[in-house]
Amino acid sequence: MTTTSAKKTTKKDFKKIILDEFKVYVLEHGTMPKSVFKFSKDLKLKEEEFYTWYTSFDSIKSAIWIEIFDETLRQIEAQEVFKEYSAREKFLGFLFTWIEELKKNRSYLLSLYSSHTQKVTSLPKEATAFKVKFKEFASDIILEGKETEEIANRPFISEKYDEAMWIQLWFVFQYWLNDNSPRFEKTDAAIEKSVNLAFDLMGKSALDSFLDFAKFMYQSK
């Protein structure tokens, strides 16, 4: 009696392969590939196969932002205690976890974004989809905060809270890119102080938090 063992065929995840190899290329060359044709050839792919997964290098960069965001959410939502957090604590938890995910990609992010840190409001187009997903997450936090009266419901102002939280997140990102402190301790402090300021502004009293944050920014120059 003979037995035959069927060979297991593992299907390659070309979407993930292309994304990872793009990051490797940026890390090794300090810039994006010159063309989709050459990049695909180096991966032993036909150019049309590349377009099965991505329409451009910008779409890969967009996917990387989404990947970091989704992994951040996965981690915080896996914690049972996260459900019990206040709105302020949830945003703090998100930012601290997000920074930990950014650290895994710091060299890649520095290669592409270290020259884009002049304006807090400057946003590369590949981060647009990430912004949309983040603002959905921020809106949920804001709604919870209003229900618990942690966040004040102010006419014409409340509807801008999600955009304010986005600007804060982008500020944290740019601050982190330039942070040379051990273990990025200044970034941790900037997160805590800026979030406290933001929630005090969205809440009732803000003066003490504003003065504390202003002092921190002045001393960090």
Side-chain angles (χ1 to χ4, degrees):
M1 182 176 177
T2 59
T3 59
T4 57
S5 57
K7 292 182 178 179
K8 291 184 178 180
T9 56
T10 56
K11 189 176 181 181
K12 290 184 177 180
D13 186 352
F14 285 107
K15 187 174 184 179
K16 179 66 173 173
I17 291 171
I18 291 171
L19 186 149
D20 289 341
E21 289 300 320
F22 175 81
K23 286 197 285 188
V24 169
Y25 187 96
V26 170
L27 289 170
E28 291 181 345
H29 297 84
T31 186
M32 293 194 300
K34 299 299 181 184
S35 70
V36 170
F37 172 79
K38 181 65 168 62
F39 181 68
S40 300
K41 185 178 178 182
D42 291 342
L43 294 182
K44 295 181 171 55
L45 289 175
K46 294 180 179 179
E47 186 173 0
E48 57 265 32
E49 291 177 313
F50 174 94
Y51 293 122
T52 300
W53 307 108
Y54 300 100
T55 57
S56 65
F57 292 137
D58 278 346
S59 68
I60 297 178
K61 291 191 290 183
S62 177
I64 292 170
W65 279 113
I66 296 298
E67 180 184 60
I68 294 170
F69 173 78
D70 287 345
E71 179 58 22
T72 300
L73 275 193
R74 188 194 68 77
Q75 289 195 33
I76 61 177
E77 290 176 350
Q79 304 171 22
E80 284 297 322
V81 69
F82 183 77
K83 299 174 185 177
E84 308 302 322
Y85 282 171
S86 66
R88 184 188 303 241
E89 290 169 336
K90 284 183 176 179
F91 192 37
L92 277 170
F94 173 87
L95 286 178
F96 283 129
T97 306
W98 185 60
I99 287 295
E100 290 304 311
E101 287 304 306
L102 291 181
K103 289 178 186 177
K104 299 175 184 177
N105 298 275
R106 182 170 173 83
S107 294
Y108 162 81
L109 294 167
L110 282 172
S111 294
L112 292 183
Y113 301 110
S114 59
S115 61
H116 297 277
T117 58
Q118 292 80 11
K119 296 181 180 179
V120 172
T121 54
S122 62
L123 178 69
K125 60 182 178 180
E126 65 268 16
T128 301
F130 162 51
K131 179 178 180 180
V132 171
K133 295 196 72 170
F134 170 78
K135 288 180 72 173
E136 290 174 355
F137 168 74
S139 294
D140 288 340
I141 290 180
I142 292 165
L143 181 60
E144 289 181 24
K146 287 180 180 178
E147 290 175 349
T148 60
E149 298 185 351
E150 184 181 358
I151 294 175
N153 191 7
R154 299 185 177 96
F156 308 111
I157 298 177
S158 297
E159 61 191 41
K160 301 295 183 181
Y161 283 164
D162 60 342
E163 181 65 23
M165 289 173 74
W166 164 258
I167 292 173
Q168 182 177 4
L169 174 135
W170 203 246
F171 155 76
V172 167
F173 171 66
Q174 293 179 330
Y175 190 95
W176 171 75
L177 284 180
N178 290 305
D179 187 2
N180 295 314
S181 64
R183 297 182 297 279
F184 303 107
E185 292 170 352
K186 286 187 177 180
T187 296
D188 289 345
I191 289 173
E192 186 172 356
K193 292 178 184 297
S194 64
V195 169
N196 284 335
L197 171 60
F199 274 82
D200 283 348
L201 286 170
M202 290 189 290
K204 294 179 180 180
S205 176
L207 182 58
D208 290 341
S209 291
F210 176 81
L211 293 174
D212 188 34
F213 183 64
K215 180 181 177 182
F216 166 77
M217 291 302 297
Y218 178 79
Q219 292 175 341
S220 297
K221 290 182 179 179

